[in-house]
Amino acid sequence: MTDPVHVLLPTRGVIALTGPDGRAFLQGLVSNDMTRVAADRAVYAAFLTPQGKFLHDFFIVERGDALLIDCEAERLPDLKRRLGMFKLRSKVALEDASQRFAVAAAPGAEALARLGMSEEPGRGMEFGGGIAYVDPRLAAMGARFILPREEAAAALAATGLGPGTVADYDRLRLELGLPDGSRDLEIEKSIL
């Protein structure tokens, strides 16, 4: 990739987790520390089998009174169902918010520089009515966005980055050795 680009990621969906017990609910269920999640900090986490095998991987960031979970769109109902099984008396609600939010990326460290973002993995900021954050797995992967769906195209165009393709995103992701959920990891078999 020569010039930094922005890319809508149509294979991604968003779950909105609301309620006062949100962080406590996720704390024992996912592979990362939920106390680290904030409006200016995203984390990468996974939901694993009791034996530690891969089921789902996702990004979590706070937006207003919700925790937004950027996950595989095709497998979103399964993740929502599995999380819902542990809800019990927790004061939380899980909603498929994919109709309200779009997920996008600006791959590469050069994109971070053009966006004026730090290279600190997970560092987030308000952007275009949503949120932008440095990929928490590896800053070299660039930025990710969760944006209101109706405003996403205009917000991304305002970055000054040209439009790119999912292939641009995948090329860099694969060069850096970063998995993309069930495309690269075998469900109930792979160990992260």
Side-chain angles (χ1 to χ4, degrees):
M1 227 176 332
T2 54
D3 290 325
V5 297
H6 67 268
V7 180
L8 277 171
L9 300 174
T11 61
R12 304 300 292 180
V14 177
I15 295 174
L17 175 68
T18 55
D21 296 342
R23 275 185 182 71
F25 168 72
L26 288 177
Q27 184 64 33
L29 292 177
V30 303
S31 66
N32 207 327
D33 181 3
M34 291 300 98
T35 63
R36 295 183 59 215
V37 176
D40 66 347
R41 169 83 46 214
V43 299
Y44 173 71
F47 188 81
L48 307 171
T49 68
Q51 297 78 28
K53 307 281 175 90
F54 167 81
L55 288 172
H56 294 274
D57 67 340
F58 39 83
F59 302 89
I60 303 172
V61 67
E62 180 182 315
R63 180 74 180 137
D65 63 350
L67 294 175
L68 299 180
I69 302 171
D70 162 3
C71 61
E72 291 179 82
E74 186 175 294
R75 299 194 59 234
L76 183 149
D78 182 66
L79 176 59
K80 187 178 166 204
R81 178 188 63 79
R82 287 178 189 271
L83 291 173
M85 290 175 13
F86 293 95
K87 188 174 156 187
L88 304 174
R89 292 185 181 166
S90 297
K91 294 177 183 164
V92 296
L94 294 158
E95 171 200 0
D96 180 349
S98 302
Q99 295 301 314
R100 291 188 295 137
F101 294 104
V103 177
E110 175 78 19
L112 292 177
R114 295 273 288 279
L115 293 167
M117 297 177 74
S118 91
E119 289 192 20
E120 182 183 345
R123 177 60 64 195
M125 64 183 200
E126 287 190 26
F127 179 84
I131 191 159
Y133 57 93
V134 179
D135 193 306
R137 299 170 297 179
L138 193 61
M141 192 59 214
R144 293 182 75 87
F145 306 88
I146 299 178
L147 301 167
R149 187 166 291 284
E150 295 174 2
E151 301 165 23
L156 291 170
T159 64
L161 304 176
T165 66
V166 174
D168 295 326
Y169 173 82
D170 280 339
R171 188 176 308 107
L172 179 60
R173 179 183 65 76
L174 292 169
E175 285 173 9
L176 295 173
L178 297 174
D180 186 26
S182 63
R183 290 174 57 198
D184 299 315
L185 300 167
E186 284 189 70
I187 299 166
E188 296 187 17
K189 294 191 191 245
S190 293
I191 296 175
L192 296 181

